[in-house]
Amino acid sequence: MSNHNGHNGHSVPPILLTISGFDPSCGAGVGADLKTFSAHGCYGVAAITSITIQNTQGVEAVHNTPSAELKAQLDALAKDSTLEAVKIGMLGNRGNAAAVAEFLDANKFGHIVLDPVMKASSGAELLDAAGIKYVATELLKRASVITPNVPEAETLTGLAIKDMTGMEAAARKLVEMGARAVIVKGGHMEKAVDLLFDGSAMMPLAGDKGKEESLHGTGCTFASAVAAHLAAGRTLLEAATLAKAYVTKAIEKAYPIGKGRVPLDHFYRQKIEPPARGIHEVPQHGMHPAAEPTAH
Ligand code: PLP
């Protein structure tokens, strides 16, 4: 983890890259990723794979970024900053998946978290069929960990998953297919137990099913939190456990912003208490001139 001193001696937090789509309602995609990075004390940068037209009620359209432009965004970021971890989400199509693979091959990143996003919870396709095949045969090999939910694990492996035994079989198969480690997310199952497999040990991560309402952006948030904890030097088991706790709490504190699905409260830890005293009682001495009421 680089924590060198930058401008004015301020320490620089880990810089994390998300490669994903833009959801204008910011419940999922790069909006959710950047909020998650910030909530974990990291600086987030983003390369946009797709502009989606969506709100909390669903995805209305998807406009994928031309692959050459995605590649240019990635190269511009990598030549400028040291990126401690990369989180990959929605890719849109095979061309963008291949651009990302090329980028990963040209750079050495310590931590790569791949969330193999295929469909929105509302049903829209977020990765084409050729892209799914490319993720299964090429991209998953390049990741430190992949974080499929049950339907994604079924599509990648061709196995039907009904229970924990099915999740274990899929996790084993994904490692056989080249993944270094897998977290199969059990949010779609009766009990929200996730399963972490690192090629040797199967580690169930217990969870609460919690609120039953329709949520938005849980997968993006979880994978981004895993990336932040890995960048902070934690083990994969610690990162996954802490990320799950963060998502659970962010779900518990979630509030509706529109008429549809509910985004998470990424900043539940940073709630600002109302000032105890009137603003006129705030001490004036030692304040920056720009913050003095009389300066305005
Ligand atoms: N939109 C974008 C840009 C995404 O990256 C994702 C998920 O990864 C979604 C939408 C779907 O989010 P959800 O299934 O939580 O609604």
Side-chain angles (χ1 to χ4, degrees):
M1 174 174 153
S2 80
N3 207 10
H4 55 283
N5 287 340
H7 180 65
N8 284 343
H10 296 155
S11 66
V12 179
I15 303 173
L16 269 50
L17 166 65
T18 170
I19 308 173
S20 190
F22 184 64
D23 158 16
S25 69
C26 289
V30 298
D33 299 338
L34 295 174
K35 284 186 274 185
T36 305
F37 294 162
S38 298
H40 287 81
C42 299
Y43 186 98
V45 295
I48 311 276
T49 57
S50 184
I51 302 282
T52 71
I53 315 286
Q54 70 176 298
N55 57 23
T56 63
Q57 297 176 68
V59 180
E60 294 174 14
V62 169
H63 301 287
N64 293 327
T65 307
S67 304
E69 279 179 30
L70 173 61
K71 189 72 187 8
Q73 292 182 59
L74 293 168
D75 291 342
L77 291 168
K79 71 185 176 200
D80 193 38
S81 306
T82 302
L83 304 170
E84 300 292 337
V86 180
K87 183 254 156 173
I88 304 163
M90 174 187 178
L91 290 164
N93 56 26
R94 185 190 188 280
N96 281 348
V100 170
E102 202 185 309
F103 172 71
L104 298 177
D105 290 346
N107 295 273
K108 282 275 155 281
F109 297 113
H111 309 284
I112 301 167
V113 180
L114 171 63
D115 184 19
V117 174
M118 296 175 191
K119 271 189 182 162
S121 317
S122 56
E125 181 186 274
L126 302 178
L127 181 61
D128 67 7
I132 292 174
K133 194 158 177 215
Y134 191 87
V135 167
T137 55
E138 290 296 331
L139 206 53
L140 64 73
K141 292 179 197 162
R142 290 165 167 87
S144 323
V145 58
I146 66 164
T147 61
N149 59 28
V150 164
E152 288 157 357
E154 289 183 319
T155 302
L156 290 171
T157 60
L159 301 172
I161 301 173
K162 301 256 170 303
D163 49 22
M164 203 52 168
T165 315
M167 284 168 72
E168 285 185 19
R172 270 186 212 290
K173 177 132 188 216
L174 287 163
V175 167
E176 279 165 28
M177 288 162 67
R180 255 185 280 164
V182 182
I183 303 167
V184 184
K185 294 173 293 188
H188 291 71
M189 309 298 271
E190 202 178 317
K191 285 191 182 142
V193 177
D194 295 349
L195 184 67
L196 166 59
F197 181 53
D198 62 3
S200 51
M202 285 286 176
M203 294 165 269
L205 309 169
D208 274 340
K209 191 80 181 171
K211 279 191 197 173
E212 278 298 317
E213 65 189 314
S214 294
L215 296 156
H216 180 48
T218 50
C220 305
T221 301
F222 176 75
S224 295
V226 170
H229 284 299
L230 290 176
R234 299 202 166 85
T235 65
L236 183 56
L237 178 58
E238 287 168 340
T241 306
L242 290 168
K244 192 163 168 73
Y246 172 73
V247 171
T248 304
K249 195 76 182 168
I251 290 173
E252 200 183 301
K253 298 285 180 182
Y255 48 86
I257 63 144
K259 297 179 182 141
R261 291 171 184 277
V262 178
L264 311 196
D265 181 359
H266 293 91
F267 293 109
Y268 67 83
R269 290 169 177 152
Q270 282 105 331
K271 282 289 170 283
I272 298 167
E273 297 298 328
R277 298 173 300 168
I279 193 75
H280 59 281
E281 291 176 59
V282 171
Q284 304 293 303
H285 299 292
M287 285 176 87
H288 188 282
E292 291 278 4
T294 49
H296 299 284

